[in-house]
Amino acid sequence: MNDDVIITCALTGAGDTVGKSEHVPVTPEQIAA
């Protein structure tokens, strides 16, 4: 039995969200804020 777990997360969305809104964080600093 394999007990490994992988969790992924798309914090800023999975697509072209920056093209839809200028308020989407892009840089690591913006994402952390």
Side-chain angles (χ1 to χ4, degrees):
M1 176 183 244
N2 187 350
D3 291 332
D4 293 342
V5 176
I6 298 173
I7 299 173
T8 61
C9 182
L11 297 177
T12 58
D16 180 26
T17 53
V18 176
K20 295 178 183 175
S21 173
E22 62 187 34
H23 302 290
V24 176
V26 177
T27 67
E29 292 80 13
Q30 291 171 334
I31 294 169

